Amino acid sequence: MKTKTQHNATYSYSLIGLLIGLGLLAIIVFLGLVVLDQPISFDLFVTLFRDNPIIWVALLLPIILGFFGYYVGNEFYKKTNDLREDINNEQKKAHEIFDFVEKIRLGQTDAQYEIREGDEIGKALINLRDALKKSNDEENARKEEEKQRHWITEGIAKFGAILRENIGDLKKLSNVVTMELVKYINAHQAGFFILEEKDGKKYFNETAAYAKDATKDGFRRKYADKQIEWGEGLIGACAIEKKTNIIPRTSENYVRITSGLGGAPPRSLVIVPLKSNDEIYGVVEIASFNEYKPYEIEFIERVAESIASTISNVNINLRTAQLLTESQEQAKIMARQEEDMRRNMEELKHTQFEAAKQSEQFISFTNSVNHTMIRAEYSVDGYLLYANSKFLNKLGYTNSSEIEGKHISMFISDKDRAWFNELWQNLASGGKHFEGDMKHVTKTGTDVWTMATYVSVRDHERKPIKILFLGIDITDSKKQSLDYKGQIDALNRSTMKAEYGPDGRVLEMNHKLVEILQFTPEELTKRTIFNFLTSSDLDEFKIIWKNIINGVPFEGRHKWFTKTGEERWFQGTYTVVHDMYGEPAKIVFIGNDITEQIHMEDKSREQTEILREQEQKLQQSKVELSKKLKETREEMKLQFREVEIVKILSDKTLEGMLDAVVVINQDNKIQLFNRAAEELWGVQRDEILGKDISSLLPTDSVSENENYLGNFFKANDTTLISTRTEVFILDKFEKRTNVLVTLSEASIGERYTLTAFIQKIEVELF
């Protein structure tokens, strides 16, 4: 059925057509009367219509033009209705775009927008939303990663400074490191264990322990005197496995975190070995109510590695200093013994030379030798002829009868017999005498070291008749010297070692350092330490060198150049060694190659700089994106203004329609009910909007077979779609009214509407 607006339009055009037709009819009649030129009378009209049949045709003009006006008005309404629907769709689309853009502006990157066919602006906005979301996600991930990396870098630098400041005192170092570690990682309790060795047994000594004190809002030092055997408990297991042990839950009896309000077992227990170059120096145990993240565990492990490296350097420095001191003392003792030995040997030679002439003096001298030196005589074949009491005592025999007639091989170790047999053959054949250190085997199988002399005793024909052995016991000093030599060899294998003269000349370099510098030994003897340094470091190092010569040790890092020009960074200690007169004899350098560590630090700085540049570019992109978004928002506002104008015009057009219009959605809820519909049903729109269509068109008292609008006007019912059909309705007072109805449906995605255009039939009749 037609709306009121449509009815008004068709009525107006029909009336205009009727009036035009009547006007034309009057003009034709007037012209006809003028042509007849007679007084107006009834007979004149009869004559006019009788003689002019065309006037009868003119009588149809008002009807014809009235129907033509009706057709024009109806077509005008259809065009207006199509325009209104287009305006509504565009307005709805504009509102959706505006809401979507506003959500994006507010940072809601999860906002949804339904793209219609041909909606290029919608596609661009979806791409913009996805780009913003991806950018935000990447920015958040980058900031979190940079925050973690900054936290680790800052912590490593902080603990590096702590380790450098306390490198001379392990006890103080362990206390400071433990306290600062508990604070930095927000732990609640920690213990610091250093690996020590006593009587051949390894154990862990707890040198520091700290715990957070809830009653004082700070930290307190715990009493630390615990000792744990190697391999015992979680500490020992961590040291054996050489890897971090993370225990999410601990037993009540293992450890408790206490405060002024009570105590509870920690939520997380982290045990980290202090490991450097795959060697264990201790263990750090950390208890906390927090569960640590992987980057925090990585930080603890890196700090533990730095601590282990520091402990290793401290041990090496202490041991080196001790070895140097002991070596100097031993060198002095050896020098005195050598001097004494030389004097004794000179006296012995002089006595032997004078023995033939002065037998009494020789016997007296022999007795003196027997009291001061180890003496034995062997036959040329190597059988013992005589041994003094010192020989018996040193080799563990009580009576000479136990060894007289025995071969000398019983006093020589199996490992030394090859070279000693060659020596003996030389002596037995009258060769040159032997002077040097000699190891003998005692009765119990232990070793006795002597500063020995083997001399061939000849007859008057210069033929060897026996071999004389004289010696001085140097067992203790020899064993100590061998121990020092072994330790120095081990030091040479594990670290770089070099010796320089006071003027900087290279005296000696171990194989490890020579291999790195790539110089031959001959080339090194022509160089000084100053040739390996850069010109920028040379002046400063010369000042350091003077301090070293004056007895001030130096520990630090320097950049050297190899033979091929490659840069190498060394971290080490320079110590002066004095001669027996207290004068600087040489400078000893002991250190390690830290080139890889320096390169890692440089690479870290480069990566930080790259990240900073990327952040600047990202900020610039963000500014440009905000500018584009602002321009888009301004453009959308202009479009919204135009749409609002069109909407206002459309609303005014629909409001003026004479036909009733009712719109329902996919849930059969009434969405539109105009004034013509209010007049048709006698119901106010406020009473019916939002309710089910059945409240307006009840079907309980109407048969399904009747031509009732309520049987067809429902969502997805296509019976009357796009057709003009006569049906009836029941108004508010259940009065039956016949109407013409046209149904039109529309859907976009899940949204659906069904519109009824309704017109009373009697309104259409003349």
Side-chain angles (χ1 to χ4, degrees):
M1 187 173 183
K2 292 183 180 180
T3 64
K4 184 177 180 180
T5 302
Q6 183 180 6
H7 175 76
N8 291 336
T10 55
Y11 176 78
S12 298
Y13 280 94
S14 298
L15 182 60
I16 292 171
L18 179 62
L19 293 175
I20 293 173
L22 291 175
L24 291 175
L25 176 62
I27 293 171
I28 292 173
V29 172
F30 176 75
L31 292 176
L33 293 175
V34 171
V35 171
L36 292 177
D37 193 21
Q38 294 181 8
I40 297 175
S41 64
F42 178 78
D43 293 335
L44 181 61
F45 281 99
V46 172
T47 302
L48 180 63
F49 279 92
R50 184 185 66 236
D51 296 338
N52 299 285
I54 191 171
I55 295 178
W56 294 99
V57 177
L59 291 174
L60 297 176
L61 283 177
I63 298 174
I64 294 172
L65 292 178
F67 276 102
F68 178 75
Y70 172 80
Y71 173 78
V72 171
N74 195 50
E75 289 298 320
F76 172 77
Y77 166 76
K78 290 182 180 179
K79 295 295 183 179
T80 303
N81 187 55
D82 292 340
L83 177 62
R84 186 187 70 251
E85 290 183 357
D86 292 340
I87 292 173
N88 287 337
N89 291 335
E90 289 298 324
Q91 183 182 20
K92 182 179 179 182
K93 176 181 175 183
H95 274 294
E96 291 177 354
I97 292 175
F98 179 80
D99 292 340
F100 183 67
V101 171
E102 190 66 17
K103 290 179 180 179
I104 293 178
R105 186 185 69 80
L106 295 175
Q108 300 178 16
T109 55
D110 294 330
Q112 300 297 321
Y113 176 76
E114 181 181 352
I115 301 177
R116 299 175 178 83
E117 183 178 358
D119 189 359
E120 297 300 328
I121 295 178
K123 292 180 181 179
L125 290 175
I126 290 296
N127 293 335
L128 176 62
R129 179 202 64 187
D130 294 341
L132 285 174
K133 183 176 181 181
K134 182 178 179 182
S135 177
N136 289 339
D137 293 343
E138 292 176 351
E139 175 69 9
N140 292 335
R142 185 195 65 77
K143 287 183 177 179
E144 181 63 24
E145 182 181 353
E146 182 177 356
K147 179 181 178 182
Q148 295 175 5
R149 183 167 54 254
H150 178 73
W151 184 81
I152 291 176
T153 303
E154 184 178 0
I156 293 297
K158 176 179 180 179
F159 282 93
I162 292 173
L163 294 175
R164 288 191 297 271
E165 292 172 0
N166 300 278
I167 194 170
D169 188 345
L170 285 181
K171 181 66 176 179
K172 181 179 178 182
L173 182 144
S174 59
N175 280 324
V176 175
V177 167
T178 306
M179 180 179 66
E180 294 298 332
L181 187 61
V182 169
K183 292 180 180 179
Y184 195 78
I185 66 175
N186 195 24
H188 293 82
Q189 189 168 301
F192 193 99
F193 299 83
I194 293 182
L195 181 63
E196 298 182 0
E197 184 173 356
K198 185 177 181 181
D199 298 331
K201 293 184 178 180
K202 294 182 178 180
Y203 65 92
F204 291 96
N205 183 25
E206 186 180 18
T207 59
Y210 272 83
K212 181 179 287 187
D213 191 345
T215 63
K216 300 178 182 179
D217 192 23
F219 292 84
R220 58 187 173 88
R221 180 182 298 175
K222 296 184 66 181
Y223 184 66
D225 63 347
K226 187 187 299 181
Q227 288 188 357
I228 299 176
E229 299 295 331
W230 174 266
E232 179 184 352
L234 296 177
I235 300 297
C238 176
I240 292 176
E241 295 174 359
K242 296 183 179 180
K243 64 180 182 179
T244 301
N245 191 1
I246 303 174
I247 303 173
R249 291 289 182 181
T250 60
S251 65
E252 290 282 347
N253 297 328
Y254 180 77
V255 65
R256 290 177 66 83
I257 297 176
T258 60
S259 69
L261 302 178
R267 187 176 183 182
S268 176
L269 183 66
V270 180
I271 305 176
V272 183
L274 303 180
K275 181 177 66 174
S276 177
N277 295 327
D278 205 39
E279 184 174 351
I280 299 298
Y281 293 91
V283 173
V284 173
E285 181 183 41
I286 303 171
S288 176
F289 290 127
N290 305 318
E291 290 186 1
Y292 290 108
K293 298 178 182 178
Y295 78 91
E296 294 175 320
I297 299 297
E298 177 190 354
F299 168 73
I300 297 173
E301 290 176 340
R302 290 181 62 180
V303 171
E305 185 176 353
S306 298
I307 295 171
S309 178
T310 301
I311 295 175
S312 173
N313 290 334
V314 170
N315 291 338
I316 290 174
N317 293 341
L318 292 176
R319 188 58 179 165
T320 301
Q322 182 182 0
L323 288 175
L324 289 173
T325 302
E326 293 177 354
S327 177
Q328 291 173 359
E329 293 297 327
Q330 185 64 25
K332 293 178 182 178
I333 295 173
M334 292 289 291
R336 288 195 297 268
Q337 290 179 347
E338 289 177 359
E339 185 64 24
D340 294 340
M341 185 62 184
R342 280 194 294 271
R343 287 197 300 267
N344 291 336
M345 294 304 296
E346 289 295 331
E347 293 175 1
L348 179 59
K349 292 177 181 179
H350 181 71
T351 302
Q352 291 174 344
F353 181 75
E354 298 291 336
K357 298 180 179 180
Q358 301 176 356
S359 59
E360 291 182 359
Q361 293 180 2
F362 176 76
I363 294 173
S364 176
F365 173 77
T366 301
N367 291 334
S368 299
V369 170
N370 287 334
H371 285 89
T372 59
M373 302 182 68
I374 303 171
R375 177 169 172 261
E377 296 180 1
Y378 300 92
S379 67
V380 177
D381 297 332
Y383 292 97
L384 183 65
L385 302 176
Y386 167 79
N388 67 356
S389 58
K390 278 193 174 292
F391 186 95
L392 296 174
N393 293 335
K394 293 296 182 182
L395 296 184
Y397 297 100
T398 56
N399 197 304
S400 60
S401 60
E402 296 181 67
I403 56 176
E404 285 184 359
K406 302 294 184 180
H407 197 269
I408 192 173
S409 60
M410 72 180 293
F411 309 122
I412 305 300
S413 171
D414 294 339
K415 297 179 181 180
D416 297 330
R417 285 181 183 175
W419 72 270
F420 185 78
N421 288 338
E422 183 179 351
L423 166 66
W424 192 264
Q425 291 297 328
N426 178 59
L427 293 170
S429 61
K432 185 179 179 181
H433 69 281
F434 168 79
E435 291 182 0
D437 295 343
M438 175 66 68
K439 182 178 71 174
H440 290 75
V441 180
T442 66
K443 181 179 180 180
T444 59
T446 59
D447 295 337
V448 173
W449 283 90
T450 62
M451 184 182 294
T453 300
Y454 284 90
V455 181
S456 296
V457 180
R458 308 170 187 272
D459 59 10
H460 63 281
E461 295 179 354
R462 306 293 295 172
K463 293 181 180 179
I465 56 175
K466 60 182 179 180
I467 307 298
L468 175 63
F469 162 69
L470 295 174
I472 297 175
D473 185 8
I474 59 170
T475 302
D476 294 337
S477 61
K478 186 65 177 180
K479 288 183 177 180
Q480 192 173 30
S481 176
L482 291 174
D483 181 52
Y484 291 157
K485 184 177 182 302
Q487 293 184 34
I488 292 174
D489 290 342
L491 190 64
N492 284 331
R493 289 192 298 270
S494 61
T495 61
M496 299 181 301
K497 177 177 176 292
E499 296 180 1
Y500 306 96
D503 58 353
R505 289 182 300 104
V506 177
L507 302 178
E508 182 183 352
M509 286 188 178
N510 66 353
H511 176 72
K512 191 169 185 177
L513 184 55
V514 171
E515 187 179 38
I516 293 175
L517 296 177
Q518 303 177 11
F519 287 100
T520 63
E522 293 77 11
E523 292 173 331
L524 288 173
T525 58
K526 300 176 182 178
R527 300 180 69 86
T528 68
I529 188 173
F530 308 111
N531 298 132
F532 301 111
L533 301 174
T534 62
S535 57
S536 59
D537 296 336
L538 193 57
D539 293 337
E540 179 183 358
F541 189 77
K542 286 182 178 180
I543 297 173
I544 295 173
W545 188 260
K546 291 181 180 179
N547 293 333
I548 295 171
I549 294 175
N550 292 329
V552 181
F554 172 76
E555 193 275 332
R557 59 171 64 176
H558 281 104
K559 179 171 66 177
W560 287 22
F561 285 97
T562 65
K563 182 178 180 179
T564 59
E566 179 185 2
E567 293 183 358
R568 305 293 290 192
W569 283 88
F570 296 150
Q571 172 83 31
T573 303
Y574 295 85
T575 307
V576 65
V577 178
H578 297 90
D579 59 15
M580 61 186 299
Y581 303 106
E583 297 294 332
K586 59 184 177 181
I587 308 298
V588 177
F589 165 74
I590 297 175
N592 294 290
D593 186 357
I594 60 170
T595 304
E596 292 299 326
Q597 177 183 341
I598 296 298
H599 288 171
M600 290 178 64
E601 293 175 358
D602 293 340
K603 186 176 180 181
S604 177
R605 284 193 293 270
E606 291 175 0
Q607 291 177 348
T608 302
E609 185 62 28
I610 292 173
L611 288 174
R612 186 179 295 107
E613 292 177 358
Q614 292 178 348
E615 182 178 6
Q616 292 175 353
K617 292 180 180 179
L618 186 61
Q619 290 295 334
Q620 185 177 358
S621 300
K622 187 175 181 180
V623 171
E624 294 177 355
L625 186 61
S626 298
K627 182 178 179 181
K628 291 181 180 178
L629 185 61
K630 183 177 180 181
E631 293 174 353
T632 303
R633 187 160 56 248
E634 293 297 329
E635 183 180 350
M636 293 302 300
K637 286 182 179 179
L638 294 176
Q639 293 180 0
F640 291 152
R641 292 193 187 99
E642 294 178 0
V643 171
E644 286 295 332
I645 294 172
V646 174
K647 179 179 181 299
I648 293 172
L649 294 174
S650 176
D651 288 345
K652 289 183 177 181
T653 301
L654 292 176
E655 189 65 25
M657 292 182 67
L658 299 178
D659 289 344
V661 179
V662 182
V663 180
I664 62 174
N665 62 11
Q666 65 272 9
D667 298 323
N668 289 316
K669 302 294 183 182
I670 299 174
Q671 290 187 325
L672 177 65
F673 197 74
N674 70 349
R675 292 181 181 177
E678 290 179 340
E679 296 175 359
L680 182 61
W681 268 278
V683 178
Q684 296 297 318
R685 70 178 72 182
D686 295 338
E687 301 175 8
I688 206 70
L689 285 177
K691 295 185 178 180
D692 195 276
I693 190 63
S694 60
S695 63
L696 183 68
L697 298 171
T699 58
D700 51 354
S701 61
V702 180
S703 171
E704 293 183 358
N705 297 325
E706 291 188 78
N707 201 21
Y708 176 56
L709 179 59
N711 293 333
F712 310 103
F713 190 37
K714 59 184 77 172
N716 298 317
D717 190 330
T718 60
T719 305
L720 301 182
I721 297 297
S722 300
T723 63
R724 191 173 181 82
T725 308
E726 181 180 350
V727 296
F728 71 90
I729 64 171
L730 298 175
D731 61 10
K732 180 179 181 180
F733 304 102
E734 296 188 357
K735 177 183 177 182
R736 179 169 178 161
T737 303
N738 293 325
V739 297
L740 290 175
V741 64
T742 302
L743 299 183
S744 176
E745 64 177 356
S747 63
I748 300 177
E750 297 181 356
R751 303 290 296 274
Y752 172 86
T753 60
L754 181 63
T755 305
F757 300 95
I758 307 168
Q759 182 180 21
K760 286 184 180 181
I761 293 178
E762 59 269 28
V763 175
E764 297 288 340
L765 301 178
F766 291 95

